[in-house]
Every structure is written in C-alpha cells, then in structure tokens.
Amino acid sequence: MANTVISVANSVLNEMKNYYSASIQSTTPQGGVFLAKINGCTVTAYKSGKVMFQGANGENEAAKWVNSNTLKQTPKRKQTHSSNQAPSTSISSLAVIGSDEVGTGDYFGPMTVVASFVEPSQFELLKELGVKDSKALNDEQICEIAKNILHVVPYSLLVLHNEKYNEMQAKGYNLNKLKAVLHNKAIANLIQKLNGKHYDAILIDQFTPPASYYGYLKGTKEVIRDKVQFATKAEGLHLSVAVSSILARYAFLKQMDLLSEKVGMALPKGAGAKVDQVAAKLMKTKGIEAFKSFAKLHFANTDKAKNIAGI
Ligand code: MG
C-alpha cells in the first residue's frame, strides 16, 4: 500500500481537521490529532505535524496540502500525478494573471487585492519602470512605479473598506476566507476585462493550501479554477504578482491618505505601539461607532487602545 508522509505547520493541521471534519473517525491513534477516511484514503495526523496518507489515492490527497514551493524543490515528482496546482518552473516566461493582497497586517485602513495580467512582451518595459519584489521598495518608490504601470497593465482592484471588513469578520469570515473571496473576485473581474484574451496561467500568492482556498470559496457563485496555480513568494516567480503587489500597496497608501485627511491626523501603518496611541486618541475624539470605519476591530490593538483611552 502506498504511503505518503508530509510535514505541516500547526495552522495547516487545524485547517486539515476542519477540511476532513465530516470523515473523521471516532478512534485516534496514540500521538494522533485525528484519523479520517476519505476517497479510498486514510489520513492520519500526528501532534508532531506529520500527516500520513495511506491508500490508492494517498498521493493525490497529500498533494492538496503540500506547499507549492516544497513540491517544486522535490526532485522530479510526476507532475501529472502529484498536483496540477504547483507552478511549473517555466511560469516566469508565460503570459500570466497574478494576484496579491495588501493591508492585512495594518490595523488602520482597508485590505486591498489586485489581479493583473502581464505578457512576456512587457517584461522588459516593466523592469525598466522599476517593477520588482515590493518588499525591496519603499512607499515612495512604490507610488512612483505604480503611477507608471497603471496605464501599461490590465488589472482589477478591490478595496475592502473597514466597515465592510468588520461586518464580514463579525459574520465569521476569517482572514483567509476574506482573502480567498477577494482574490477569486479580482481574478474573475480581470478575466472579464480581458474579454477573451489568452492567458497561460493564473498565479495566486499563496496564503493557505489550495484545498483550504477552495474550501473557503464554497458557496461562491463563480469560482475560478481553470489554470490556477499557487505559490508562496510568488512575487519572485512572475512579474504579474509583483505588479499586483505594487498596485495593491499603492491603493492602500492612497486610502490611508484619504482616511488620515478625514480624521485630521496621520494614521500610522502596521499594528505596533504607535498605532495603539493614535487609536486611543481617535476613540476618544470620534467615538467607538465612528471608529469602525477606520480600523480592523478584531486586532488586539482595539483592546490595548481602549485600555489607554480608559474606555
Ligand atoms: Mg501576498
């Protein structure tokens, strides 16, 4: 019997438990977290993070949970058999729709998601315009580059404003579900905009295993699956993801400027101590109700700011 063993992080172990919840058996082996039987495959997860897949369909089932980058490093696995969701090594030279999100680690301001389409004929121009991994760029550089590429690359931008974000969080949408819904929507919008134009692949900057991604999209009207691939650090794999990351950051910065103007003080980025101080001041001057339209309330900053403000 074929056995496939993978190692996953704790967070993924939890997602797997959710994913297989309907197939989990009442008995769990020693040191085990759960044992599930599904599609002719037995899945046994251990506290150590090791997960064993036994049975005819074990390899396919395991492939749903393997990080795409890890797959790529595995020497010569049968691509057809393991997963069509891991990018092939040549993806960097293809015409690709890439997507990325920004603002999920910032207490103030919205979450922004961009999908953009980049063809090989544009590579040189985009590099000339300064497109690279956004983590290597400061905000000023990002704004400058973004203004230039806005007119060069077809893209779709979604801004999830704080009020709506808080509403969805309260409804039980966790961060990964929000991301999945917005990535899928941005990609669908862009495909419509491309109006039949050919693309080779869709590359999503991976934030959750593919199986979880599609799990979060259950109930969504239009789920894009065809040609979709996932990879962590996808900015380095194709320029379309780098472009999306830059445009999403640019949109986020513009929104932060607007919000800062609205509240009459500069809103800090991130989620550090400075953020707590400004949040406390805002809660006092604007009131908690109005505050919902500036910040992501489920962050720990909310309680810290309330403490500082004495609310
Ligand atoms: Mg990302």
Side-chain angles (χ1 to χ4, degrees):
M1 195 188 276
N3 276 4
T4 307
V5 180
I6 63 171
S7 282
V8 300
N10 249 336
S11 56
V12 177
L13 213 56
N14 285 333
E15 288 184 2
M16 293 179 93
K17 203 174 170 185
N18 271 336
Y19 182 79
Y20 292 117
S21 58
S23 319
I24 286 178
Q25 308 292 303
S26 52
T27 51
T28 311
Q30 199 172 8
V33 181
F34 68 84
L35 187 152
K37 292 191 186 226
I38 186 166
N39 302 336
C41 167
T42 303
V43 184
T44 316
Y46 295 93
K47 286 175 190 150
S48 63
K50 291 249 185 311
V51 185
M52 187 161 64
F53 297 81
Q54 293 167 288
N57 198 34
E59 202 183 339
N60 285 333
E61 202 57 39
K64 290 183 184 172
W65 300 99
V66 179
N67 183 301
S68 306
N69 287 2
T70 325
L71 259 188
K72 247 185 15 182
Q73 284 154 10
T74 313
K76 292 291 154 231
R77 273 178 78 135
K78 281 174 279 167
Q79 278 266 324
T80 48
H81 215 59
S82 56
S83 168
N84 59 0
Q85 295 172 323
S88 64
T89 42
S90 62
I91 194 166
S92 61
S93 59
L94 300 177
V96 171
I97 291 174
S99 65
D100 200 7
E101 84 285 333
V102 166
T104 52
D106 298 272
Y107 182 56
F108 289 118
M111 169 175 157
T112 56
V113 178
V114 170
S116 66
F117 175 56
V118 173
E119 298 175 90
S121 61
Q122 297 170 302
F123 289 169
E124 218 164 303
L125 172 65
L126 290 174
K127 281 181 191 158
E128 189 112 332
L129 291 174
V131 174
K132 58 177 153 190
D133 192 330
S134 65
K135 283 166 208 85
L137 299 165
N138 62 35
D139 287 344
E140 208 172 298
Q141 290 169 315
I142 283 178
C143 290
E144 207 168 300
I145 297 167
K147 280 178 202 157
N148 284 322
I149 55 179
L150 279 175
H151 310 288
V152 177
V153 172
Y155 70 95
S156 154
L157 161 71
L158 293 177
V159 178
L160 183 60
H161 292 286
N162 295 102
E163 250 162 356
K164 185 83 185 157
Y165 180 101
N166 291 325
E167 219 174 86
M168 292 175 88
Q169 272 282 337
K171 267 195 217 158
Y173 280 61
N174 70 25
L175 185 55
N176 279 345
K177 181 164 181 170
L178 280 178
K179 286 186 192 176
V181 168
L182 266 70
H183 272 261
N184 179 66
K185 183 78 183 142
I187 292 164
N189 289 350
L190 178 58
I191 289 172
Q192 198 169 32
K193 213 170 179 178
L194 290 178
N195 199 16
K197 192 161 186 180
H198 172 83
Y199 53 89
D200 298 306
I202 298 170
L203 181 59
I204 297 177
D205 192 33
Q206 185 173 338
F207 48 88
T208 192
S212 304
Y213 175 85
Y214 290 114
Y216 290 130
L217 292 177
K218 262 181 208 147
T220 302
K221 231 195 281 163
E222 189 190 5
V223 178
I224 310 291
R225 290 171 188 271
D226 192 30
K227 300 183 185 176
V228 170
Q229 304 184 7
F230 299 84
T232 53
K233 302 198 177 83
E235 281 188 58
L237 287 181
H238 196 275
L239 276 179
S240 59
V241 182
V243 162
S244 290
S245 177
I246 288 170
L247 293 180
R249 180 79 187 164
Y250 177 59
F252 173 79
L253 292 171
K254 278 209 305 190
Q255 291 294 328
M256 284 292 273
D257 285 347
L258 285 175
L259 277 181
S260 297
E261 211 175 296
K262 207 167 152 188
V263 301
M265 69 177 94
L267 294 177
K269 292 161 202 117
K274 177 90 195 289
V275 166
D276 299 334
Q277 295 294 338
V278 174
K281 216 185 265 181
L282 272 176
M283 280 177 183
K284 275 206 254 186
T285 53
K286 307 277 174 193
I288 290 279
E289 199 48 40
F291 192 77
K292 286 180 185 162
S293 50
F294 313 132
K296 302 181 184 84
L297 293 183
H298 68 105
F299 278 40
N301 301 80
T302 302
D303 282 341
K304 288 187 203 160
K306 277 185 182 168
N307 268 338
I308 296 169
I311 297 172

